[in-house]
Amino acid sequence: MMKAQKDQVDLSLSQQWDRVKTHLKNELGNDIFNNWIQPLDIQELTQDQLTLAAPTPFIQNWVSTYYLEAIQQLFCEENPDLKRIILGVSPHSAAESSEEKAVAKGEAEPDFQEGDFVGSPLDPRCTFENFVVGKPNELAHAAARRVAESTQVPFNPLFLYGGVGLGKTHLMHAIAHHIQKTQRNRKVMYLSAEKFMYQFIRALRYRDTVAFKDRFRSVDVLMIDDVQFISGKDSTQEEFFHTFNALVDQNHQVIISADKSPSDLEGMEERLRSRLGWGLVADIHPTTYELRLGILQSKVEQIKQTIPKKVLEFLAHKITSNVRELEGALIRIVAHATLVGREISLEMIQEVLRDLLRSNERLLTVEEIQRKIAEYYNVRLSDMHSPKRSRAVARPRQVAMYLAKKLTTRSLPEIGRHFGGRDHTTVIHGVKKIEELLMTDIGLREDIDLLRRTLEA
Ligand code: ADP
Ligand code: MG
């Protein structure tokens, strides 16, 4: 391509990008725009694929999750030839990931400078102020606060554990922010276990392990996130163990997170596992409905949106997997509403979140239904299968059949088999009977309503 022509293409591409950005700025507001969209650059256009670059892996990750779809939609409108947008990390600032690959391939030059040795970046939004406390996370939160506010070392290590997306990283970042703000003389370092491993492997390669250790040991508060990634990697484990011991012995605070308790960390040496459990071990439990609703309300305030209460309750009820998904759902509906100019309603979110709602659907079993109903009507579980026909057991059995039909995808013959091998016509009869009664019997309607809600909770 001739140079003049190429410049023209580039110019129009960057103009297109400017237009997309203007659009996004209007839709997302200045804060979100400046945080996430402004830092992105155009990197490369090949045929029908455009690559954008984020300055850090963190921003790349976040934008991919929340905004890439919208960017792609808008860009493709600007430029119909475009089929796909890929978001990478820009090569100059992504020293971490690109060097990692170079080291693995044995290409990189040894160039250790003080500046190379840094922790992972902190998310400015992960503060204590933005953390919603509820029963499932109150212990972890209190422990994190204690570590952040104390000038001593209250317990060492603090070991936070819990499932994905429940707030471990958020709490660690909050501790780091707080200490950086209130105790400027203390040196805090936060890093993912992966980054720890990478730095260690690099140090080994350049025979720089002494300096590696010294650098870690000069830190007052060291946080290593997701240590389960260290399991199985023997030499890194060994080094981690020594660094850990040295820091704890010198009374430097260590904070660790993992997806499992120390004793459940498989592939980790016994002495390390037991050492990790010496301080305070605090677990974060799965969220409750109340906590999910509280988190949604706080996020809605943060992004300055008004969303009907019914919608928030619906989301808190339905998206039970973890906070990250809950947050993702909220951002998705807000982005959708602003981009296509639609009002946020129950119908709208069910449409926008169809896939997410489906994956969060808990699959009820016929047994669970039978158990709940037996308990509720105070009959034996075995009465659900028994041939007894007295009203006292027949009615609860019909209720169970009715709910099994309504709340599971089991066929009538399958349901019949769960009720002591009854015929599918018996099931039809039971379901019909309850449907009839529901029209007149308010008490039964209330019972079934309640049962349904507890079963679906
Ligand atoms: P983990 O590290 O346990 O996988 P994160 O700390 O990354 O989970 O949390 C996932 C997302 O949910 C983050 O955006 C975080 O800010 C948010 N989050 C988790 N718990 C809470 C909470 N209690 N209050 C507010 N936001 C939360
Ligand atoms: Mg995390």
Side-chain angles (χ1 to χ4, degrees):
M1 200 190 290
M2 291 189 32
K3 180 152 194 320
Q5 240 176 334
K6 185 172 183 298
D7 284 350
Q8 220 166 16
V9 171
D10 287 347
L11 188 65
S12 72
L13 187 67
S14 73
Q15 278 170 345
Q16 287 165 5
W17 178 219
D18 284 343
R19 275 199 292 269
V20 170
K21 286 203 286 193
T22 310
H23 206 109
L24 288 165
K25 189 175 190 162
N26 292 337
E27 303 302 352
L28 302 172
N30 281 343
D31 286 354
I32 293 183
F33 180 82
N34 291 337
N35 270 339
W36 305 112
I37 311 294
Q38 189 58 36
L40 309 180
D41 282 321
I42 289 185
Q43 195 170 22
E44 183 180 36
L45 176 69
T46 52
Q47 288 183 356
D48 55 3
Q49 173 175 313
L50 174 71
T51 308
L52 295 174
T56 66
F58 182 77
I59 294 182
Q60 176 208 25
N61 207 331
W62 188 268
V63 173
S64 300
T65 313
Y66 298 130
Y67 307 115
L68 197 57
E69 226 178 280
I71 296 174
Q72 172 146 329
Q73 205 173 330
L74 289 167
F75 227 128
C76 293
E77 277 167 24
E78 287 290 334
N79 183 345
D81 295 338
L82 216 54
K83 292 278 173 305
R84 204 154 27 135
I85 295 188
I86 290 180
L87 183 60
V89 180
S90 71
H92 38 281
S93 42
E96 184 186 350
S97 46
S98 54
E99 268 176 39
E100 201 164 346
K101 285 186 200 110
V103 168
K105 282 192 268 168
E107 290 167 357
E109 290 296 315
D111 61 339
F112 265 102
Q113 289 159 16
E114 199 54 38
D116 282 343
F117 192 80
V118 287
S120 308
L122 296 175
D123 183 338
R125 287 157 316 148
C126 289
T127 58
F128 282 121
E129 290 71 36
N130 291 342
F131 191 81
V132 181
V133 185
K135 264 260 167 300
N137 59 27
E138 65 183 356
L139 173 65
H141 171 261
R145 275 245 180 225
R146 185 71 182 283
V147 165
E149 284 164 6
S150 157
T151 50
Q152 313 279 310
V153 174
F155 15 73
N156 218 357
L158 168 60
F159 190 102
L160 299 171
Y161 78 92
V164 178
L166 297 182
K168 304 181 294 292
T169 300
H170 188 135
L171 281 177
M172 288 178 122
H173 286 201
I175 296 172
H177 287 309
H178 192 89
I179 295 178
Q180 279 175 353
K181 220 167 64 190
T182 56
Q183 305 181 44
R184 294 180 157 269
N185 56 332
R186 283 175 102 192
K187 195 168 160 203
V188 183
M189 186 184 280
Y190 162 86
L191 76 176
S192 62
E194 274 169 310
K195 185 152 183 170
F196 178 91
M197 262 156 39
Y198 156 63
Q199 308 225 20
F200 174 63
I201 290 163
R202 200 167 77 156
L204 271 185
R205 183 176 173 85
Y206 299 126
R207 301 190 173 76
D208 192 29
T209 50
V210 176
F212 171 83
K213 284 174 201 166
D214 286 349
R215 284 179 193 132
F216 270 113
R217 289 170 197 176
S218 68
V219 170
D220 299 296
V221 181
L222 177 67
M223 309 188 197
I224 300 194
D225 204 353
D226 287 321
V227 287
Q228 70 272 11
F229 289 125
I230 289 182
S231 14
K233 318 243 156 72
D234 282 350
S235 57
T236 333
Q237 252 190 60
E238 186 73 23
E239 187 46 44
F240 175 64
F241 185 67
H242 290 309
T243 306
F244 176 84
N245 277 335
L247 285 170
V248 171
D249 287 346
Q250 294 162 28
N251 208 25
H252 292 188
Q253 179 73 56
V254 180
I255 305 164
I256 305 283
S257 89
D259 64 350
K260 296 182 198 70
S261 76
S263 53
D264 287 336
L265 281 172
E266 285 154 25
M268 195 160 279
E269 245 189 276
E270 176 51 36
R271 59 172 183 160
L272 181 51
R273 269 192 281 168
S274 88
R275 191 76 168 82
L276 286 173
W278 277 12
L280 180 75
V281 177
D283 58 342
I284 306 186
H285 296 273
T287 55
T288 55
Y289 172 78
E290 286 72 26
L291 180 60
R292 291 194 294 274
L293 191 60
I295 291 173
L296 282 172
Q297 281 160 345
S298 125
K299 302 269 169 199
V300 167
E301 254 168 56
Q302 273 173 53
I303 55 176
K304 302 191 179 65
Q305 291 281 335
T306 39
I307 295 185
K309 189 154 170 265
K310 266 215 173 70
V311 168
L312 297 184
E313 287 169 355
F314 179 84
L315 289 176
H317 190 66
K318 291 289 183 183
I319 300 179
T320 52
S321 46
N322 67 52
V323 183
R324 188 170 301 140
E325 284 213 335
L326 197 62
E327 229 177 16
L330 187 66
I331 288 171
R332 221 158 101 188
I333 61 176
V334 170
H336 190 88
T338 44
L339 287 173
V340 306
R342 233 179 116 181
E343 202 180 315
I344 297 173
S345 65
L346 275 182
E347 278 121 58
M348 179 266 212
I349 65 170
Q350 284 181 42
E351 203 180 300
V352 174
L353 302 176
R354 197 177 306 135
D355 51 332
L356 194 62
L357 291 172
R358 199 172 306 144
S359 70
N360 272 277
E361 221 162 69
R362 215 166 55 84
L363 289 180
L364 265 180
T365 63
V366 177
E367 289 78 8
E368 273 176 90
I369 293 172
Q370 290 176 325
R371 195 166 305 125
K372 179 58 79 197
I373 279 147
E375 198 180 287
Y376 187 80
Y377 287 105
N378 209 6
V379 296
R380 280 194 301 264
L381 182 60
S382 61
D383 289 336
M384 292 285 156
H385 319 135
S386 81
K388 273 196 267 178
R389 298 168 88 173
S390 71
R391 179 94 178 267
V393 298
R395 185 69 83 234
R397 198 189 288 137
Q398 285 171 336
V399 170
M401 286 177 184
Y402 170 83
L403 287 172
K405 181 71 194 112
K406 298 288 169 193
L407 303 180
T408 73
T409 54
R410 298 269 159 255
S411 67
L412 292 167
E414 278 175 302
I415 294 175
R417 277 198 287 281
H418 279 94
F419 287 86
R422 285 178 160 78
D423 191 71
H424 76 279
T425 53
T426 312
V427 181
I428 294 178
H429 174 77
V431 172
K432 279 225 173 94
K433 181 81 207 161
I434 297 299
E435 276 171 351
E436 264 169 46
L437 287 171
L438 278 176
M439 303 216 250
T440 51
D441 187 337
I442 297 172
L444 182 67
R445 201 147 64 203
E446 282 172 2
D447 285 351
I448 289 188
D449 239 30
L450 182 69
L451 283 164
R452 203 182 183 130
R453 260 183 288 135
T454 45
L455 280 164
E456 283 182 324

